Amino acid sequence: MTGSFFRSRSAWAIAGLIVLFLFPVFFDRFYVYLTAIILLTGLCATSLNFVLGYGGVFQFHHAVFYGVGAYGTALMILKSGLSPWLGFIVGPVVAAVLGLIIGLICIRLSKLYFGMLQISLGSLVWAIVYRWYSFTGGDDGIHGVPLPDIISSPNGAYYFTLIVTSASMFVLYRMLKSPFGSALQGIRDNPVRSEMIGVNVRLQQLLALTIAGFFGGVAGALFVVVDNTVFPDMMFWTLSMELVIMCLLGGWLSYLGPMVGAAVIVLLRTYVSGITVYWALVLGIIMMLVIFFLPNGVLGYLDRFLKKKARAR
Amino acid sequence: MENLFGFISPGILSQILVGLSRTVILFIVSSGLSLILGVLRIPNVAHGSLYMIGAFMAYSVSHLFGGGTAGFWIALILAPLGVAALSFLAERSLFQFLYEREHLMLLLLTFALSLVFGDLVKLVWGAEYRSVPVPFIFQGYINLFGGLPFPIYSFFLLIMGPVIAILLWLLTNKTKIGKISRAAAVDREMVGAVGINVSWVFGIVFIIGCSLAGLGGVLVAPTVSVTLGMDHTLIMEAFLIVIMGGLGNVWGALLGALIFGLTQSLGILIWPQFGIVFPYLAVVVVLIFRPTGILRSTW
Amino acid sequence: MLEVTSLSKSFDGFKAVNNAGLIVKNGETVAVIGPNGAGKTTLFNLITGVIRPDSGKVLFKGEDITGLKPYQVCRRGISRSFQVVNVFPRLSVFENVQVSVLSRQKKTWNLFTPSSRLAIAETDRILENVGLSDVRDNTSTALSHGERKVLEIAIALGGNPEFLILDEPTAGMSPEETSRCIDLIRQLKEKLGITILFCEHDMEIVFSISDRIMVMVRGSTIIEGTCDEVRCCQEVQDAYLGGSDVCLM
Amino acid sequence: AANTIKVGIVDTYTGPATTFTNDVLDGFKLAVERINAGGGILGKKIEYTFRDEKFKPDIGLAMAKELILKEKVDILMGTINSATTLAISDFVKKEKVPFFVTFAKSEKIVGEKGHRYIFNMNEHTEMAGRAAAIALAKKPYVKYWIAGDDYEYGHAIADAVWSNLKKIKPSVQKVGETWWKVGEADFTPYITQILAAKPDFIIVATGGSGMVNFQKAAKATGLSQKVPFYQHTATELSVLAPQGPNAPEGVYGTANYFFYYPDTPENRAFVADFKKAYNRNPRIGALYGYMTAQFIAAGYKKAGAIDREKLVNALEGMSLDSPVGNLEIRKCDHQLLIPMYFGVTKKDPKYDFLIAGNIEVIQGKDYVPSCQEVLKLRKK
Amino acid sequence: MLDVNGIDTYYGLSHILFDVSLNVKAGEVVGLLGRNGAGKSTTMKSIMGVVPPRRGTVSLNGKDITGQKPFISFRQGIGYVPDDRRVFADLCVDDNLEIVYRRSKDWTKDRVYGIFPALKEIRSRRAGHLSGGEQQMLTIARALMGSPELLLLDEPTEGLAPLIVRDLEQQILKLKDAGISILLSEQNVRSALKMITRAYVIDNGRIRFEGTVGELEANEDVKKKYLMI
Ligand SMILES: Nc1ncnc2c1ncn2[C@@H]1O[C@H](COP(=O)(O)OP(=O)(O)OP(=O)(O)O)[C@@H](O)[C@H]1O
Ligand SMILES: Nc1ncnc2c1ncn2[C@@H]1O[C@H](COP(=O)(O)OP(=O)(O)OP(=O)(O)O)[C@@H](O)[C@H]1O
Ligand SMILES: [Mg+2]
Ligand SMILES: [Mg+2]
């Protein structure tokens, strides 16, 4: 039974990928761009959820890793003179290292304290980027990052984003289903007990934070590919809040929840803002409705709904 | 180096005094946040919006009463009441049903609320900057150490801070409602089962906390321009202050505000280039040495 | 196997454990009894590293394990269950135990093999042993109180311990479940040769399965001895049993 | 879209910046209504659509892309956020869509990062600095203190004023600097610090709501009576009006526009129109928005076709009459040359708020960086 | 005084109580016996209003109290001692007693400490740090502070040392003498039988037996089938 279930799940994944691959053939450039943004934002939110939803760590300043990944990539391309492809590795790696460092400092703290200390540290990083004009371009950011030819066209950027995102999503998924992932979820639910069964809670969480930082960085690097620019707002705390909201809105206990949340937010922003400047108001109201009626997020609701149906059958 | 001596000599004392008066508003707002966080466990992001609304209400009220001194005093009473009414509405229609939810969900809800409030303020008051004049008796300044000016209004603030701190401490530690709310923070259902109408207790605490945000807004109004977005910077600072001091601890909020305010003003004097990082550094240092804040938290 | 010497711990000046001593030999089953608040749970917490002692020593198999982190203690072969049910609420019964097994096998650093292929046989065997096979796929919150208590033990067994600490394993169980639980503990002792340290307020159980008993009062050991020694000792009667009929049993 | 010319506007309509951007939008609307009422351009009406980017560059850029790729706008306009502007600029360069910058102040926009499709309809920081320096050089002050918002705009303005002042009048000295974080609410401690150093004059480089906040603090501490200071846009209506009669007197400032100055029939007419439409006095942004529409209309007319390339060509070097006199879009860098008014705040019985007095006019060509300078920047 | 009439209670979709009826008369100690998961706690919660029943009625002194909020039930004289010791961890013992809603001055702190002298010694300690048994005493003490007419005791002896259990048995009898009616749920039948006058046996959410202690002692069938003794 599990076999057929798994098969159907991979079947769905493959079908989804095919649709996404064919997307540029049928749709206008703008929609391709929008999809790329959703994918990379969703990847960023998923990497956050790796520690937030599955690790129970209040990672409140995930945008730092997104931003650092982007800056790392952009600066590497602009300043090093080495192959731009190297930038796509350096950015995420720098983000991962930063994730480890910030993690080391914060890890002793619990919940809200963790989150707030992380916001402080993240804000320090942000302040440095914001103020270090000569290197980072200050609050104006860096614009017009040159890219290798094959990914500089809109479609090239889209396919690159699609491939990297799906690969990352797959890797993250495998990690969650691995013993490491089980231990991580155990820690989320009951850290004391986890320690009592021989899990080195801190170390386990640190690794998770590093991984999350890495994939946050990957998303940042993809942003450089899609939008060719970086700016300090990418690591401002408001964006981090938005990422948390994507996780919660989509469903932070389901794997694709954050991706769905990202899609919801990006689409709302795009379409509602075309109708009214009061789109924050609309977004706020929609969020409240979700909280009231879908307490487990959009996907959490669907999950439950489907399960209930399956049971009824 | 030159800079360093430059600021020590002509009255660092007055500098500190000024620094203190500015922490008062931070304190008042964060103490409300701390109360709500400590008792109701709601990380209330909309707290900043209520502060902004308090300031706008202060503008409207003082304007309505001729913009003079009388207007300010009436605003000092009416605006926090207005904010209280608004929070009462929010509590009864929203929060009331959600206390049992995950903290993160409440964070999401309050964030949504702050978005709504932000746009509502724009709808009601428009985009113009607003200004509330300093009440007449507090206008002007006196000369302190070495002829440096100190606004009289700041004296007023300096007195308000401790008064509010003591009142709040009495409320949480000495009154029954304070004790009930501390108990309810941990086990709401059981508090109900010993004959207490928890729903109202929570409502009252929420309203008190929120009106403190409103009060902060009124008090700040005469010193700044009342604008959209003034909630934004404040809320993050308030959260950091609360965390630094220890969640739910009134004195912690006071201490946190002091540290935050002083590192902010002194930090910029020491290293102008990266002045903005000092308060954050203070938070980092504090939390590294005291992972649950300086004073005991109720969490 | 386990040797606790003059262990002390105080909270805000209150001595919860005061100079407690205890020796458990290989293969023994030792009970700790004592009035409420005597410090039994605290003693267990000190041994397993959940809290650090103020002074004193814990030796396990001749090695000093005082002040080690819980996970380090666990890796040396000590597992425990908790007085208040303490399981992983969002995981299924199977996963609850599996995590424990995986952790013992040091597989929690394995990032890529799906858990669903690992440690299945062993986990199922443990579930079988404790009689939870039927509810294997339920989430742990859907279990009855008694079942959850058993799951507690199963998780501890996942660590394949040489030494097992049980904190009131049968509290809140019905007579029926209690007798099953006692059987289980006997099995662990006899079939698997696990050394067991437990505390319990039900004297019938204490006297029926333990080899030796340690009596704790106000944080200190007042007597340590065989069932018979303890049973009718006057101090124990006064401090704990209160002249109940156990002496006659 | 065949029968209309579509203009897309991306700007911040959230937070303190709204007070400026609303005027840009309203000024633009006013002009568009007139143009459309007069039969449009080449028989086509102007249609516009606007987006609130909430002062976030990523959102702003996404919105610009949406407007260009999905809404297929002919022209893009905005924004008050320099980072957004620069990000969009890079994109419009690739897409070859003309982009009119209406409030962002970064010098990079037409300087280092300038290109064929970008037009700057307001002064940038270097220009503001030069204009102030020209006027300040004539004053007797020697010991200067520099203070400001700790972000690009603050530093850029301060640097621009200071470096130009130093060039024009080498005898000036800087006795110290103070930087505070953006959004700082209470300036009293900084003012105490500055006063302790006893400078002759202070250059205050704040933006947005910081302008009002600083002036309030200056009034409360008596700073404005002790040491004169300069703020770019200090004399602007959006800064002075909210403070009513309580604003400090004697503050120096520069601004491109006042509804009461120049007191010409053109300006009076513009003010009357604006007031009729929106029931308030126009502020600086209104002029930028209004003139942007005018230039777009005139540009298309001159080009004779709805064609982006032709429009750009037509606009280069074009000049138009405006409420503040004849304005030219310079060919070399697409910078609008607009006069700057240096003045000082004073009370006026006609208004219940302060206005600018002793106005000194500095003509656009006098305070704009030369074409050589710009080209040198662009080559970098 | 307490009449429970045919209640059905659910947790979400799962139907737990089926047509449960029972009554407690003034001054009685009534036992509610049954094995784990039989529905004892749920019955108590239904009476208190923590988990309102979907069908049937609960009335106190002839007044319908079905499904009303727990705090109102408490104010009308029902004291509730839950099985999972829910002391107010953050408050000290004294404050735990102080915040209770007081119907009358019948029960003072001193009187309560008279019943549980052990508590008096630790009156200023944080409740969250008390041992299991101490917490159990505290919850009973807390319920008494509201001067209840009826006490719902849910497995009060769980986790208590034999000495304390015996003490508690005495105390409960004392409470009975003081005129408080008690509904007592117990696993520990032997202990329960010392206190109660009548008993209900519940299994799988249904009342299976009702009668005096004597009748229960005599009914080997019920004892074997539902109580495992
Ligand atoms: N973290 C703590 N802070 C303060 N006091 C504590 C703490 N933990 C335990 N105590 C106190 O230490 C004493 C011993 O508690 P412990 O839980 O070990 O008792 P116990 O013997 O397990 O009792 P029981 O049989 O009732 O479970 C109690 O009086 C308790 O109040
Ligand atoms: N919150 C809940 N949600 C769903 N089911 C529940 C919940 N609480 C209890 N149950 C179920 O309701 C049934 C009756 O539980 P209840 O707690 O009333 O039993 P009990 O007789 O008090 O048992 P015990 O002696 O173990 O306390 C059990 O099968 C239990 O699993
Ligand atoms: Mg214990
Ligand atoms: Mg029960």
Side-chain angles (χ1 to χ4, degrees), chain C residues 10-12 14-17 34-45 51 83 167-168 199 201 216, chain E residues 85 122 125-135 159-161:
Chain C
S10 46
F11 299 107
D12 316 320
F14 165 77
K15 287 199 163 126
V17 171
N36 296 109
K40 303 179 293 293
T41 303
T42 310
L43 176 67
F44 291 174
N45 283 342
I51 46 183
Q83 180 173 7
D167 197 347
E168 304 201 16
C199 78
H201 286 301
M216 246 183 127
Chain E
R85 311 181 173 124
I122 51 169
R125 221 181 288 162
R126 265 180 71 152
H129 290 161
L130 300 185
S131 83
E134 292 161 341
Q135 294 189 358
L160 290 194

Side-chain angles (χ1 to χ4, degrees), chain C residues 29-31 33 182 186 189 198 200-215 225-233 236-237 240-241 244-249, chain E residues 162:
Chain C
T29 299
V30 175
I33 61 171
I182 293 172
R186 282 224 180 86
K189 175 182 169 181
F198 74 107
E200 186 59 66
H201 286 301
D202 187 330
M203 286 308 116
E204 263 175 64
I205 301 174
V206 170
F207 291 131
S208 70
I209 57 176
S210 45
D211 299 318
R212 278 188 315 118
I213 296 175
M214 169 212 177
V215 185
T226 62
C227 295
D228 294 326
E229 285 166 359
V230 170
R231 185 176 292 190
C232 299
C233 161
V236 181
Q237 283 289 342
Y240 185 58
L241 302 174
S244 55
D245 39 10
V246 283
C247 194
L248 313 171
M249 283 184 354

Side-chain angles (χ1 to χ4, degrees), chain B residues 108-194:
Chain B
L108 180 64
L109 177 72
T110 58
F111 188 86
L113 206 60
S114 76
L115 292 181
V116 172
F117 280 154
D119 269 359
L120 284 181
V121 168
K122 191 159 70 168
L123 275 169
V124 175
W125 280 282
E128 315 283 292
Y129 294 162
R130 306 288 180 181
S131 175
V132 177
V134 177
F136 185 71
I137 53 164
F138 296 137
Q139 265 175 21
Y141 54 91
I142 52 165
N143 284 322
L144 285 180
F145 326 96
L148 294 174
F150 188 71
I152 297 173
Y153 187 71
S154 300
F155 270 116
F156 171 62
L157 290 182
L158 275 181
I159 296 163
M160 284 299 279
V163 170
I164 303 253
I166 291 168
L167 285 180
L168 263 183
W169 180 77
L170 287 177
L171 175 79
T172 47
N173 286 59
K174 295 291 153 196
T175 64
K176 197 166 158 185
I177 190 164
K179 285 174 188 171
I180 291 175
S181 47
R182 274 159 62 204
V186 183
D187 190 344
R188 187 175 136 80
E189 191 177 86
M190 202 53 225
V191 175
V194 296

Side-chain angles (χ1 to χ4, degrees), chain A residues 196-198, chain C residues 2 47-48 58 60 65 70 72-80 156 159-165:
Chain A
M196 233 21 267
I197 58 169
Chain C
L2 182 83
I47 294 173
T48 52
V58 183
F60 182 63
I65 58 163
Q72 290 165 325
V73 173
C74 176
R75 286 178 189 174
R76 297 192 180 216
I78 303 181
S79 286
R80 74 173 283 190
N160 197 10
E162 295 170 60
F163 191 85
L164 184 62
I165 297 179

Side-chain angles (χ1 to χ4, degrees), chain D residues 112-186:
Chain D
E112 194 184 326
K113 296 278 180 190
H115 55 82
R116 177 173 158 81
Y117 299 95
I118 197 146
F119 295 86
N120 195 16
M121 305 306 288
N122 71 126
E123 90 293 359
H124 55 64
T125 49
E126 175 65 17
M127 292 168 71
R130 279 194 196 189
I134 291 168
L136 284 177
K138 295 175 193 154
K139 308 268 178 222
Y141 309 117
V142 177
K143 277 157 62 188
Y144 278 81
W145 187 283
I146 292 175
D149 283 346
D150 196 7
Y151 71 140
E152 180 88 46
Y153 172 74
H155 284 275
I157 284 272
D159 286 354
V161 178
W162 184 246
S163 60
N164 284 303
L165 186 59
K166 193 91 190 159
K167 230 181 278 166
I168 306 172
K169 184 177 169 185
S171 64
V172 294
Q173 312 162 15
K174 179 158 70 181
V175 289
E177 288 183 41
T178 305
W179 297 99
W180 46 72
K181 71 170 197 315
V182 188
E184 180 57 84
D186 184 358

Side-chain angles (χ1 to χ4, degrees), chain B residues 129, chain D residues 10-14 16-22 24 53-55 77-85 99 101-106 109 122 151 153 208:
Chain B
Y129 294 162
Chain D
V10 178
D11 217 332
T12 301
Y13 299 107
T14 307
T18 319
T19 199
F20 303 109
T21 53
N22 263 355
V24 175
E53 50 106 58
K54 297 200 174 294
F55 214 74
M77 173 178 159
T79 94
I80 196 164
N81 184 343
S82 291
T84 312
T85 306
F99 177 30
V101 180
T102 47
F103 225 107
K105 305 283 181 205
S106 172
I109 293 166
N122 71 126
Y151 71 140
Y153 172 74

